[in-house]
Structures are given as structure tokens and as C-alpha cells.
Amino acid sequence: MVTQGDSSQEHERRHLLDVADLDWSALRQLLVSAESMQRLLDSTAGGSDDLRGVGVTTLFYEPSTRTRISFETAAAALGARVSTFNVATSSVGKGESLLDTVRTLEALRTAVIVLRHERAGAPWFAARHFGGSIINAGDGWHAHPTQALLDLSVLSRHLGDRDGSLVGRRIAIVGDLLHSRVVRSNLHTLTTAGADVLLTGPARLITGFAELAQSIRGARGGVRVVTSLDEALDDVDAVMALRIQRERLAAGELDSLEAYRSAWGLTAARLAALAPRALVLHPGPMNEGVEIDPDVADGPRSLVLEQVRAGIPMRMAVLHQVVRGARAHG
Ligand code: ASP
């Protein structure tokens, strides 16, 4: 359990756009809050009325299962008025812009928009034109703040020290880094929590990450890009496989899925070579038999479903924080 400690300084923020600007104290506050949200979910009441009457709308321009449903479950557990904006059947098909949609939702008394968009930066644009709170639920290849936060909560529960930090822990992230907003956000949260992160994958899918690793400064942990899976997995505490994002791959970026699996896939044979304590994560959705084998995904080291479950209390914590932040900012 993450203890509150002395530095329980309140972080009030009206939006959650990125995790790159969250320091350890801000991350810790969210970890602590997510734990109390979990206790609320486990209680007989199963939730609270804290966001009663608050309109929360999920506005997803890209597909999603876990993220959208867990935000909606989280908002409902706090008593919010939840709406799903269905982009496919909405006026977006008639050419309505993001700006018009955001203004319309505000007029319809939405206080929080949970936004997923294919364009990096879209949540910042929305935040400039919306009187309520914007939560970034994934923007292009850029960021996926709540995925990184829930991953941190799971890793911190299993590997964290008393205050939840990951100092001295080695975490490998393997696969299609190039197209992954998950890895870009996880780099910040994991290094801020003190972990040493090893990044690896096929050369064409790790382009630019050596430079990115250099730019992560001031964090307690470090980032290293390595070109061999064996080096990345040596003595790791946890490994996260990333999805091969077939919908974003350009010609020539991947030879074949079979070749990928044999060079980079988390197979039972590869797992057998890991330290016995090493844990396995995947943000989902998984291409089973490509980046991760089914028996590994369902195996005893796998935290995949725990990651999905952890999304609800963490998103409750985030919703709570932004609504409080909006109230504080008037
Ligand atoms: N669900 C995650 C995302 O939206 C990971 C993925 O799609 O591969 O970025």
C-alpha cells in the first residue's frame, strides 16, 4: 500500500492533458487517491455521490474498449451523469469540427470531456475552447496519460517500496514504440517513479527513441534504448509488450508478423529465461500470437487483467481531481 506520507500537498488541476509535467508528489497523490477509490469500489456502497450532477462525456474519435468503458464505469461509480458521444452516428459525419462539438457539449452541460483523438495535441486545442475539464484519453502517437497512471499503480503495487516508488527496478518495454502513445507516457511516469526503463524493438519501430531517452532529464530513473531483446530482458523486474499497431504501420516498417513473433514476441520459451520474479504486462488490445503468446498472456506472471481492473479506480481518481480543480479555479 502506498502511504500518504508528509508531502500530501494538494495538486489541483482542471485538466489532465499529459503526464510529462507530473512530478513524483503529483503521481503519488494519484496513487493514494486510486487506492482509496478502490476501497470505495470494494465497500458495500460500491461508489459515492461525489460527482453527483456532474456531466461527463466520453468523446472518442478512435476505437476503444478498455479506456472508454472504464472511464464511464469510473464516472458512474462517483455518481456523475455519463454520456457517450457516438462519433460514428453524430453530426461529425456531417462535417462538425472538434471545436463545434466541444462548444456544443458545453452548452449541453458537460463538465468533463474525456477525449480520444487521432491527432496529437487535440486535447490541448479542446482545452483552450472548453469551460470545463478535458481529460486526454489518447492523442495520436503522443500521450495516453491514464494508461501510464494505471500501469504505474499496478507496478507500484507489485514492485514499489513503501511510498510506491520504483527506485532500482528494471522495466523493459518491447515492440512497436514508434506508434505508441503508451510508451511515450510510461517513460515519464516510470522514470519519475525511479525505475530504470529499457526500450527495445525492431530498428524501424524504435526510431527517434534514443533522442527521446536523452531528453528525459531530471527524473530519478533512467532510460536506455538497447537493440537486443536478451539485453533488455536481462534481470528485469517486469516486461511490457506493446501492440503491433497494424493500422498505423507504413509500408516496410515490419517484414512479417511471423518474423516479428520469432524475434520479439513474448513466448513461453523466452519467459522461461527471465528471472523468476519477472512480471508481464500489456496495455491491450493484444495481438495474441504476435507480440505475446496466449499462454503467456494468461499465465501466472501476467498482470494484463489487473491492468484493466486498475483503470477504474485510477480514472475515478483523475475525474475527482479535475472536477475539484475546476471548482477551485472557478
Ligand atoms: N489501448 C492503447 C491505446 O489506445 C494501446 C493500443 O491501442 O495498442 O493507445
Side-chain angles (χ1 to χ4, degrees):
M1 191 176 109
V2 181
T3 52
Q4 180 74 65
D6 298 330
S7 59
S8 61
Q9 165 203 352
E10 285 287 306
H11 294 273
E12 269 161 358
R13 70 178 46 77
R14 185 174 125 203
H15 307 289
L16 179 71
L17 303 176
D18 206 351
V19 283
D21 54 348
L22 302 189
D23 61 12
W24 175 235
S25 142
L27 291 178
R28 226 163 67 90
Q29 187 183 317
L30 284 164
L31 292 176
V32 170
S33 172
E35 282 193 355
S36 72
M37 296 299 172
Q38 184 62 58
R39 285 193 292 278
L40 201 57
L41 289 166
D42 294 339
S43 70
T44 23
S48 79
D49 262 351
D50 286 6
L51 300 195
R52 188 152 50 91
V54 174
V56 175
T57 301
T58 51
L59 171 57
F60 279 49
Y61 289 82
E62 280 188 344
S64 164
T65 306
R66 280 152 278 269
T67 307
R68 186 175 61 73
I69 294 177
S70 75
F71 263 114
E72 291 174 358
T73 308
L78 292 170
R81 196 164 38 79
V82 187
S83 322
T84 307
F85 184 101
N86 190 332
V87 170
T89 58
S90 70
S91 295
V92 170
K94 300 178 189 163
E96 186 169 74
S97 66
L98 175 61
L99 176 59
D100 287 341
T101 302
V102 161
R103 286 183 173 155
T104 302
L105 290 178
E106 186 168 344
L108 291 170
R109 303 174 61 82
T110 284
V112 181
I113 296 177
V114 178
L115 175 64
R116 169 166 294 186
H117 204 281
E118 67 277 6
R119 237 178 37 235
W124 279 260
F125 171 80
R128 280 201 300 279
H129 298 283
F130 183 58
S133 301
I134 300 285
I135 299 175
N136 182 0
D139 62 322
W141 304 1
H142 175 238
H144 195 344
T146 57
Q147 177 73 45
L149 291 170
L150 74 89
D151 288 340
L152 178 64
S153 75
V154 170
L155 285 165
S156 163
R157 184 176 316 135
H158 286 270
L159 303 174
D161 57 23
R162 219 177 140 263
D163 77 342
S165 76
L166 297 172
V167 174
R169 297 301 193 168
R170 285 165 70 85
I171 297 167
I173 305 183
V174 182
D176 181 0
L177 275 57
L178 180 64
H179 304 107
S180 176
R181 51 192 171 213
V182 173
V183 72
R184 288 183 178 81
S185 287
N186 261 308
L187 273 185
H188 288 285
T189 47
L190 295 177
T191 54
T192 303
D196 290 319
V197 181
L198 294 127
L199 301 175
T200 197
R204 273 171 291 196
L205 298 181
I206 58 173
T207 311
F209 274 81
E211 294 74 21
L212 194 61
Q214 291 290 322
S215 72
I216 309 261
R217 294 217 183 91
R220 293 185 293 170
V223 183
R224 219 149 45 86
V225 181
V226 296
T227 49
S228 118
L229 185 56
D230 289 339
E231 191 181 349
L233 297 186
D234 181 38
D235 203 30
V236 280
D237 294 290
V239 51
M240 179 184 295
L242 295 176
R243 183 171 68 93
I244 289 293
Q245 304 207 14
R246 290 185 244 196
E247 75 281 17
R248 300 194 208 265
L249 282 178
E253 279 180 343
L254 193 72
D255 295 334
S256 75
L257 297 177
E258 295 70 31
Y260 181 85
R261 175 181 178 267
S262 69
W264 302 98
L266 295 189
T267 59
R270 262 195 192 112
L271 248 69
L274 295 188
R277 65 175 191 283
L279 302 165
V280 172
L281 294 93
H282 190 303
M286 295 184 279
N287 294 305
E288 291 189 59
V290 182
E291 68 266 359
I292 188 165
D293 275 6
D295 50 348
V296 172
D298 297 333
R301 298 166 185 260
S302 170
L303 299 178
V304 171
L305 284 177
E306 190 175 326
Q307 288 172 275
V308 177
R309 280 191 290 271
I312 299 173
M314 183 50 83
R315 288 172 174 130
M316 288 168 76
V318 167
L319 284 163
H320 213 270
Q321 186 176 75
V322 297
V323 170
R324 217 180 37 215
R327 285 178 184 150
H329 289 99

